[in-house]
Amino acid sequence: DKGKRRRNGQFTFERMLQCIHHYAIGDQELSISSAFSASISSKSSADPYLILYEDVLSSGSIVEEGLLRHLHLGTTRIGASSTDLSATGSVFENNSTKKVHSDPLCHYNDVTCSELELGLRNATGKKYPCLWKQYQQAEEGLTWSMPLLPSGLVSLEGDCFPLEALDEKKRTRTVDELYRLPPR
């Protein structure tokens, strides 16, 4: 039962904002900062390879192939004798970290989507334009840029835009793309 996952009561608008700030902004910022620090410390001339969760879900094999090429492993995994990615299974599929919520947010008993929508409606358009866009297009499985204020500061109150999907022509994602100001 989806309601049994509840640990801290209802998932309110305020809790949603806290979670988004902590996980979507805080973790992303820390990860990117750490990756660039490591790259500089190792005197690497290559930028870190950017992997976004949404890209793994929608285009895992493209992300994996790009990562292996970035690590100069071609399409062969460490210890694998085959160049066929399907022969050894995906590094993403064999990962012990699994998505806890696999259904849309509103399908959980501890989430009252009318309250979340009301909070966004009352504040959005003006206060949380990125969150409102993502809420309205949640079922489309899009990958989004970071929410940025016009000054370029990362903020929940910033605007964002859907990023171009990864496919056979567009095979990688860049940090610049993730942090680009929304088109006007």
Side-chain angles (χ1 to χ4, degrees):
D1 177 36
K2 294 176 180 95
K4 289 183 182 178
R5 290 191 179 117
R6 178 178 45 191
R7 292 185 186 145
N8 299 314
Q10 285 296 110
F11 188 71
T12 64
F13 181 68
E14 291 75 27
R15 283 197 178 153
M16 179 186 74
L17 291 178
Q18 290 172 349
C19 285
I20 292 169
H21 189 270
H22 177 78
Y23 293 108
I25 292 181
D27 287 356
Q28 183 73 47
E29 290 288 284
L30 180 62
S31 298
I32 293 217
S33 174
S34 298
F36 275 109
S37 289
S39 178
I40 290 168
S41 294
S42 69
K43 298 180 180 20
S44 173
S45 61
D47 283 340
Y49 186 76
L50 181 62
I51 299 175
L52 299 179
Y53 177 75
E54 297 84 356
D55 289 335
V56 171
L57 290 180
S58 65
S59 309
S61 61
I62 291 172
V63 174
E64 181 176 26
E65 183 179 313
L67 175 62
L68 293 171
R69 288 184 198 280
H70 182 77
L71 297 173
H72 305 289
L73 298 174
T75 56
T76 304
R77 272 186 205 78
I78 297 171
S81 59
S82 170
T83 58
D84 180 10
L85 287 174
S86 62
T88 57
S90 168
V91 293
F92 299 120
E93 290 170 5
N94 296 331
N95 187 335
S96 62
T97 303
K98 299 294 179 204
K99 185 175 180 180
V100 174
H101 293 98
S102 55
D103 290 322
L105 184 64
C106 293
H107 290 186
Y108 292 90
N109 293 337
D110 58 342
V111 176
T112 307
C113 273
S114 58
E115 180 188 337
L116 299 182
E117 186 170 336
L118 182 63
L120 286 170
R121 272 191 198 278
N122 288 340
T124 305
K126 296 163 187 91
K127 189 160 184 181
Y128 302 107
C130 180
L131 299 181
W132 181 244
K133 288 177 185 178
Q134 290 186 38
Y135 179 80
Q136 289 180 312
Q137 298 178 49
E139 301 298 320
E140 296 179 34
L142 300 170
T143 301
W144 293 84
S145 66
M146 290 295 283
L148 300 174
L149 295 175
S151 66
L153 181 69
V154 175
S155 170
L156 283 181
E157 296 179 9
D159 201 1
C160 63
F161 59 96
L163 298 174
E164 181 182 352
L166 295 182
D167 59 22
E168 291 304 315
K169 290 183 181 175
K170 176 164 180 50
R171 303 185 68 76
T172 60
R173 182 91 51 217
T174 66
V175 173
D176 291 343
E177 178 182 4
L178 185 64
Y179 286 89
R180 189 173 301 138
L181 285 170
R184 296 200 177 242

